[in-house]
Short mmCIF file of all heavy atoms in Angstrom, two decimals:
data_model
loop_
_atom_site.label_atom_id
_atom_site.label_comp_id
_atom_site.label_asym_id
_atom_site.label_seq_id
_atom_site.Cartn_x
_atom_site.Cartn_y
_atom_site.Cartn_z
N ASN A 368 8.49 43.17 12.82
CA ASN A 368 8.01 44.31 12.03
C ASN A 368 7.99 45.54 12.92
O ASN A 368 7.45 45.47 14.04
CB ASN A 368 6.60 44.03 11.48
CG ASN A 368 6.12 45.11 10.53
OD1 ASN A 368 6.88 46.01 10.16
ND2 ASN A 368 4.86 45.02 10.12
N ILE A 369 8.60 46.61 12.49
CA ILE A 369 8.54 47.88 13.22
C ILE A 369 7.98 48.91 12.24
O ILE A 369 8.48 49.04 11.13
CB ILE A 369 9.94 48.28 13.75
CG1 ILE A 369 10.41 47.23 14.76
CG2 ILE A 369 9.89 49.68 14.38
CD1 ILE A 369 11.87 47.29 15.13
N ARG A 370 6.88 49.56 12.67
CA ARG A 370 6.17 50.45 11.74
C ARG A 370 6.43 51.90 12.12
O ARG A 370 6.10 52.32 13.25
CB ARG A 370 4.66 50.17 11.79
CG ARG A 370 4.29 48.76 11.44
CD ARG A 370 2.83 48.46 11.77
NE ARG A 370 2.49 47.06 11.58
CZ ARG A 370 2.65 46.12 12.50
NH1 ARG A 370 3.14 46.42 13.69
NH2 ARG A 370 2.31 44.87 12.24
N GLN A 371 6.98 52.67 11.20
CA GLN A 371 7.24 54.11 11.42
C GLN A 371 7.28 54.81 10.07
O GLN A 371 7.56 54.15 9.06
CB GLN A 371 8.63 54.33 12.03
CG GLN A 371 8.89 53.72 13.35
CD GLN A 371 10.35 53.83 13.78
OE1 GLN A 371 10.77 53.04 14.59
NE2 GLN A 371 11.12 54.77 13.25
N PRO A 372 7.08 56.13 10.06
CA PRO A 372 7.29 56.86 8.81
C PRO A 372 8.76 56.72 8.37
O PRO A 372 9.66 56.67 9.21
CB PRO A 372 6.99 58.32 9.19
CG PRO A 372 6.16 58.24 10.43
CD PRO A 372 6.60 57.01 11.14
N MET A 373 8.95 56.65 7.07
CA MET A 373 10.27 56.40 6.46
C MET A 373 11.39 57.22 7.08
O MET A 373 12.43 56.70 7.47
CB MET A 373 10.15 56.69 4.95
CG MET A 373 11.44 56.69 4.20
SD MET A 373 12.16 55.01 4.17
CE MET A 373 13.54 55.32 3.08
N GLU A 374 11.15 58.55 7.18
CA GLU A 374 12.27 59.41 7.57
C GLU A 374 12.62 59.33 9.06
O GLU A 374 13.62 59.87 9.49
CB GLU A 374 12.03 60.88 7.14
CG GLU A 374 10.78 61.53 7.71
CD GLU A 374 9.50 61.18 6.93
OE1 GLU A 374 9.45 60.16 6.23
OE2 GLU A 374 8.51 61.95 7.07
N THR A 375 11.80 58.61 9.83
CA THR A 375 12.09 58.50 11.27
C THR A 375 12.85 57.20 11.62
O THR A 375 13.24 57.01 12.77
CB THR A 375 10.79 58.55 12.11
OG1 THR A 375 10.03 57.36 11.84
CG2 THR A 375 9.96 59.78 11.79
N PHE A 376 13.04 56.31 10.64
CA PHE A 376 13.75 55.07 10.94
C PHE A 376 15.23 55.35 11.20
O PHE A 376 15.89 56.03 10.40
CB PHE A 376 13.66 54.08 9.75
CG PHE A 376 12.44 53.21 9.79
CD1 PHE A 376 11.40 53.41 8.89
CD2 PHE A 376 12.35 52.17 10.71
CE1 PHE A 376 10.28 52.60 8.91
CE2 PHE A 376 11.22 51.35 10.74
CZ PHE A 376 10.18 51.57 9.84
N SER A 377 15.75 54.83 12.29
CA SER A 377 17.20 54.93 12.52
C SER A 377 17.88 53.82 11.73
O SER A 377 17.26 52.79 11.40
CB SER A 377 17.52 54.78 14.01
OG SER A 377 17.19 53.46 14.42
N LEU A 378 19.15 54.01 11.48
CA LEU A 378 19.93 52.98 10.78
C LEU A 378 19.93 51.70 11.62
O LEU A 378 19.86 50.58 11.10
CB LEU A 378 21.37 53.48 10.56
CG LEU A 378 22.31 52.52 9.83
CD1 LEU A 378 21.75 52.10 8.48
CD2 LEU A 378 23.69 53.17 9.67
N GLU A 379 19.96 51.87 12.94
CA GLU A 379 19.98 50.72 13.85
C GLU A 379 18.70 49.87 13.70
O GLU A 379 18.75 48.64 13.66
CB GLU A 379 20.09 51.26 15.28
CG GLU A 379 20.48 50.24 16.30
CD GLU A 379 20.44 50.84 17.70
OE1 GLU A 379 19.77 51.88 17.91
OE2 GLU A 379 21.07 50.26 18.58
N THR A 380 17.55 50.57 13.59
CA THR A 380 16.28 49.83 13.45
C THR A 380 16.21 49.12 12.10
O THR A 380 15.79 47.96 12.01
CB THR A 380 15.08 50.79 13.61
OG1 THR A 380 15.20 51.42 14.88
CG2 THR A 380 13.76 50.06 13.55
N TRP A 381 16.61 49.82 11.04
CA TRP A 381 16.69 49.19 9.71
C TRP A 381 17.53 47.92 9.78
O TRP A 381 17.12 46.85 9.33
CB TRP A 381 17.28 50.19 8.72
CG TRP A 381 17.80 49.59 7.43
CD1 TRP A 381 19.07 49.14 7.20
CD2 TRP A 381 17.07 49.36 6.21
NE1 TRP A 381 19.16 48.63 5.91
CE2 TRP A 381 17.97 48.77 5.28
CE3 TRP A 381 15.76 49.61 5.81
CZ2 TRP A 381 17.59 48.41 4.00
CZ3 TRP A 381 15.39 49.25 4.50
CH2 TRP A 381 16.29 48.67 3.61
N GLN A 382 18.71 48.04 10.45
CA GLN A 382 19.64 46.92 10.53
C GLN A 382 19.04 45.76 11.32
O GLN A 382 19.20 44.59 10.96
CB GLN A 382 20.95 47.39 11.18
CG GLN A 382 22.14 46.51 10.86
CD GLN A 382 22.44 46.47 9.36
OE1 GLN A 382 22.69 47.51 8.76
NE2 GLN A 382 22.38 45.29 8.75
N GLN A 383 18.32 46.11 12.40
CA GLN A 383 17.71 45.09 13.25
C GLN A 383 16.69 44.26 12.45
O GLN A 383 16.63 43.03 12.55
CB GLN A 383 17.02 45.80 14.43
CG GLN A 383 16.46 44.88 15.49
CD GLN A 383 15.53 45.64 16.45
OE1 GLN A 383 15.39 46.88 16.38
NE2 GLN A 383 14.90 44.91 17.33
N ILE A 384 15.89 44.95 11.64
CA ILE A 384 14.88 44.26 10.82
C ILE A 384 15.57 43.39 9.77
O ILE A 384 15.20 42.23 9.57
CB ILE A 384 13.91 45.28 10.18
CG1 ILE A 384 13.11 45.99 11.27
CG2 ILE A 384 12.96 44.59 9.19
CD1 ILE A 384 12.28 47.17 10.80
N PRO A 424 2.07 52.03 3.73
CA PRO A 424 2.88 53.05 4.39
C PRO A 424 3.47 52.57 5.71
O PRO A 424 2.89 51.69 6.38
CB PRO A 424 1.90 54.20 4.64
CG PRO A 424 0.76 53.96 3.73
CD PRO A 424 0.69 52.48 3.50
N HIS A 425 4.58 53.15 6.10
CA HIS A 425 5.23 52.95 7.41
C HIS A 425 5.85 51.57 7.59
O HIS A 425 6.06 51.13 8.71
CB HIS A 425 4.26 53.23 8.57
CG HIS A 425 3.74 54.64 8.56
ND1 HIS A 425 2.78 55.10 9.44
CD2 HIS A 425 4.06 55.70 7.79
CE1 HIS A 425 2.52 56.37 9.19
NE2 HIS A 425 3.30 56.77 8.19
N ARG A 426 6.10 50.88 6.47
CA ARG A 426 6.68 49.54 6.57
C ARG A 426 7.82 49.36 5.58
O ARG A 426 8.03 48.26 5.07
CB ARG A 426 5.61 48.50 6.21
CG ARG A 426 4.49 48.34 7.20
CD ARG A 426 3.36 47.60 6.51
NE ARG A 426 2.30 47.25 7.42
CZ ARG A 426 1.37 48.11 7.81
NH1 ARG A 426 1.38 49.36 7.36
NH2 ARG A 426 0.41 47.74 8.65
N VAL A 427 8.58 50.41 5.34
CA VAL A 427 9.59 50.30 4.28
C VAL A 427 10.61 49.20 4.55
O VAL A 427 10.84 48.33 3.70
CB VAL A 427 10.25 51.67 4.01
CG1 VAL A 427 11.49 51.52 3.14
CG2 VAL A 427 9.24 52.61 3.35
N PRO A 428 11.23 49.15 5.74
CA PRO A 428 12.22 48.07 5.94
C PRO A 428 11.57 46.69 5.91
O PRO A 428 12.13 45.74 5.34
CB PRO A 428 12.80 48.35 7.33
CG PRO A 428 12.41 49.75 7.67
CD PRO A 428 11.16 50.04 6.91
N TYR A 429 10.39 46.55 6.51
CA TYR A 429 9.72 45.24 6.55
C TYR A 429 9.42 44.76 5.12
O TYR A 429 9.73 43.62 4.76
CB TYR A 429 8.44 45.35 7.37
CG TYR A 429 7.71 44.04 7.56
CD1 TYR A 429 8.18 43.09 8.46
CD2 TYR A 429 6.55 43.74 6.84
CE1 TYR A 429 7.52 41.87 8.65
CE2 TYR A 429 5.88 42.54 7.02
CZ TYR A 429 6.37 41.61 7.93
OH TYR A 429 5.71 40.41 8.11
N CYS A 430 8.81 45.65 4.31
CA CYS A 430 8.49 45.25 2.93
C CYS A 430 9.76 44.91 2.16
O CYS A 430 9.79 43.91 1.41
CB CYS A 430 7.75 46.38 2.20
SG CYS A 430 6.09 46.67 2.83
#
Side-chain angles (χ1 to χ4, degrees):
N368 187 7
I369 297 167
R370 301 169 187 87
Q371 299 172 203
M373 171 66 174
E374 59 278 22
T375 67
F376 273 108
S377 66
L378 181 56
E379 195 185 20
T380 303
W381 163 270
Q382 202 62 58
Q383 187 193 354
I384 295 171
H425 299 174
R426 291 164 173 80
V427 168
Y429 184 76
C430 291

